[in-house]
Amino acid sequence: MINTSYENKSKNKRLNESGLTSYDKDIAMNRGEKVLEKGIGFKNVFKDFKRDINSKNITAALAGGAFGLPAGIVMISAGTAAGLSSELIILWVTSVYLIGGIFGILIPAYYRIPIPIASSLAAAVLFATAVSQVGLAESLGATIIAGIIVFLAGTTGSMGKIIELIPTPIVMAMVGGVFLSFGLDLVSSLESALLPAILMIGTFIIVTRFAPVVPPVLASIIVGVVYLLVSDVSFAGVEFSVEYPELVLPAFSFESFLIYGLPLILILIGMENPTAIALLKNEGFKDTPVNGISAINGFATAFGAFFGAYNTCTAGPMVGLFGSSEAGPKEKRWVGAILFGVIFIVAAPFYGSLVSLFEEMPGFFVAIIAGLALLKVLITTIGGSLGAETHKIGAMFAFLIAASEITILGIDSAFWALIIGFAISLLIEPQDFKFIGNKKQYNKHSA
C-alpha cells in the first residue's frame, strides 16, 4: 500500500526547496490529480433552506434580480446589432435565463455555498457575431464542444495547470476590444440624442454616487422610459408573450469552433471561473469547489446549447453580492443564490415581451443602456489588460485587433486577437509566462 501522506510531504519539501511561489506549489501539488470536490448533497435541503432563509438573503436575491435581469438588454442589443431575428433573440435570451435559473438552484443547494449561475456578457457579443457568420446550429455546436472541454478541465483536476498557461491580460484585452463598440456607442449618443443621453447617464452617475443600493442601470431605464413616454414615442407594436426554450439540433464545424468555441473556452477558464473563485475565497469560503465550478460551467454550457443557450457560468459580479456580509451570516448566504435562480426561472418565459418592447424603442435608448450595463466590464477588461504588469505588448495587440472587427480567412477578430496577442507576447515577453518562468526557476534551483 502506498503511503500517500509521506509522498505528499516529500513532494512538498522538494517544492519548498525549489523557491516557487505558494500559488505555483498548489498547482504542482494538484497537477494531474483527478479531484472533483463533493458537496453536502441534497439531503435535508428543504429543511436547511427553511432554517437559513432570512431578510438579508432575500434582499440580496431581489437586488441580484434587479441587476441580473437588465443584463439581458446586452444580449438583445448584441443580437440586434448582428442582424439576428427577434424570434431567435427571444429563444436565446429565454433559454439563457431559464437554464441559468435551474442550475442556479441546484448548485448552491448541493454545495451550500453562494454560487450564483448566470451567463457571460462577453460571450454574448461573440455568440451573436458567430450566429451572423456561421448560423445558429454551428454556433451551438461550438458551444457544446467548448462546454465539454471546460467540463473535462474540471473533472480531471487540471484547472490550475490550464489557468497557468493562459495569459489573463490577453484574454481581458480581447474581451475589452469586443466590448469597445458598446462604449463608443454610449458616448456617440451625446451627439445624436443629447437630452435623453444627459438624463439617463446623469441618473446613472447620481444613483451610483448617492444611492449605491439602487441598481443604477435600472434607474436609467426608468428615467429613459419616462422620457420616451413624455416624447410621445408609440409603443403600440409591443406584444405580451410567453415563450419557452425549444430543442435545437446543433451542427459542428472547425470554423465555428475557431470563431466562438475557442474564445468561449478562454473566457470561461481565463476570466469567469477565476473571478468567481477568487471572490468566494476572499469572502471566507475556503472550501470553494475550484474544479467543481469548472465542471458545472462546462456541463451546463453544453446542456444549455441544445436549447439555444450560448453559455452558462458562475456569475462573478453576483458572487460579490451573495458572498458578502450584506447577504447575512456566512453559513446562510447560499439561500440568496437559490432565490436568485428562482427569479430567473420565473422571469425567463416573459422576456420575449421585453424584446418586443426594445424593438419599438429608438436606437439611442438601447445604445445608452447597453453601454451603461457594460461599463464596469469595460473598466475591468480594458483596465485589467492594458494596465497589467505583464503581457503589456501582447495585450495591446489583442485589444486593437479585437476592436478593429477585422475578418481574416472568414474568421472573426476575437480569434485572431487571442492568437496574435499570445504569439507576440510569447516572442517579446516570454518572461511573463508562468510556465516558462517557473521552469527556468525550477531548473536553476535543481542545478
Side-chain angles (χ1 to χ4, degrees):
M1 183 175 180
I2 299 174
N3 188 338
T4 56
S5 176
Y6 174 79
E7 282 191 347
N8 284 338
K9 287 180 180 178
S10 177
K11 185 176 183 180
N12 200 25
K13 181 180 179 182
R14 294 195 305 272
L15 291 170
N16 286 332
E17 293 173 349
S18 70
L20 300 181
T21 65
S22 58
Y23 172 78
D24 298 321
K25 291 175 191 175
D26 290 339
I27 292 175
M29 287 294 292
N30 292 315
R31 186 171 289 152
E33 294 181 8
K34 294 184 178 181
V35 180
L36 190 59
E37 304 90 346
K38 290 186 177 181
I40 294 176
F42 298 108
K43 185 177 181 181
N44 299 323
V45 65
F46 293 105
K47 180 181 178 182
D48 293 346
F49 179 87
K50 184 177 179 181
R51 178 198 65 201
D52 291 344
I53 191 170
N54 56 51
S55 59
K56 286 196 172 183
N57 49 44
I58 291 175
T59 301
L62 293 174
F67 277 101
L69 291 176
I73 295 169
V74 176
M75 304 179 208
I76 297 172
S77 177
T80 302
L84 307 185
S85 67
S86 59
E87 292 78 11
L88 179 54
I89 296 174
I90 291 173
L91 168 66
W92 169 23
V93 178
T94 301
S95 298
V96 165
Y97 278 108
L98 188 58
I99 292 171
I102 292 171
F103 282 96
I105 292 174
L106 295 175
I107 305 312
Y110 178 75
Y111 282 109
R112 302 295 203 280
I113 293 177
I115 306 176
I117 305 296
S119 58
S120 169
L121 294 182
V125 180
L126 292 174
F127 181 77
T129 303
V131 172
S132 68
Q133 292 182 347
V134 298
L136 177 63
E138 289 192 15
S139 299
L140 293 175
T143 305
I144 293 171
I145 295 174
I148 292 172
I149 292 174
V150 174
F151 172 76
L152 292 175
T155 54
T156 57
S158 57
M159 267 299 297
K161 184 177 180 180
I162 294 174
I163 291 175
E164 180 188 17
L165 296 173
I166 299 174
T168 301
I170 292 178
V171 177
M172 290 284 195
M174 179 272 289
V175 175
V178 170
F179 277 174
L180 181 61
S181 62
F182 289 89
L184 296 177
D185 289 343
L186 169 64
V187 176
S188 298
S189 66
L190 290 168
E191 180 182 22
S192 60
L194 180 61
L195 180 57
I198 291 176
L199 291 174
M200 295 172 70
I201 297 173
T203 299
F204 180 90
I205 294 171
I206 292 171
V207 170
T208 301
R209 175 64 179 85
F210 298 104
V213 295
V214 178
V217 175
L218 182 61
S220 296
I221 291 174
I222 294 172
V223 170
V225 169
V226 171
Y227 172 83
L228 294 178
L229 292 173
V230 173
S231 303
D232 295 327
V233 174
S234 175
F235 294 100
V238 177
E239 298 179 359
F240 176 79
S241 63
V242 179
E243 306 286 344
Y244 297 97
E246 299 176 5
L247 183 64
V248 181
L249 294 179
F252 302 91
S253 72
F254 186 63
E255 180 186 6
S256 64
F257 176 75
L258 293 181
I259 291 175
Y260 182 63
L262 181 59
L264 177 60
I265 293 170
L266 296 176
I267 286 172
L268 291 178
I269 294 179
M271 188 173 76
E272 300 293 353
N273 286 0
T275 300
I277 291 166
L279 287 171
L280 282 170
K281 289 192 173 185
N282 186 59
E283 292 294 343
F285 295 94
K286 303 302 181 185
D287 55 345
T288 297
V290 175
N291 294 315
I293 285 177
S294 178
I296 291 161
N297 288 348
F299 176 80
T301 294
F303 174 82
F306 286 98
F307 298 93
Y310 69 94
N311 141 259
T312 305
C313 69
T314 307
M318 296 304 168
V319 169
L321 177 62
F322 297 119
S324 71
S325 59
E326 297 296 324
K330 177 185 171 185
E331 68 278 3
K332 298 182 179 182
R333 295 174 195 169
W334 64 283
V335 172
I338 286 183
L339 294 174
F340 178 64
V342 172
I343 291 173
F344 269 23
I345 290 176
V346 172
F350 306 103
Y351 222 96
S353 301
L354 190 60
V355 175
S356 176
L357 174 64
F358 273 86
E359 285 183 335
E360 298 299 315
M361 290 183 170
F364 72 79
F365 183 93
V366 178
I368 293 172
I369 295 303
L372 293 176
L374 289 172
L375 195 59
K376 288 187 177 179
V377 180
L378 282 166
I379 293 171
T380 301
T381 54
I382 297 177
S385 59
L386 304 186
E389 296 181 359
T390 61
H391 305 284
K392 292 182 178 180
I393 299 176
M396 176 57 76
F397 271 93
F399 174 75
L400 293 174
I401 293 169
S404 70
E405 299 182 356
I406 61 172
T407 300
I408 302 175
L409 301 177
I411 301 174
D412 188 65
S413 61
F415 170 78
W416 296 113
L418 292 171
I419 297 301
I420 297 174
F422 184 93
I424 289 175
S425 188
L426 189 62
L427 289 171
I428 300 178
E429 311 161 304
Q431 72 281 358
D432 291 343
F433 286 84
K434 290 182 179 180
F435 65 91
I436 295 178
N438 289 348
K439 184 178 180 181
K440 290 181 178 179
Q441 191 175 17
Y442 187 83
N443 291 337
K444 179 181 178 181
H445 286 272
S446 299

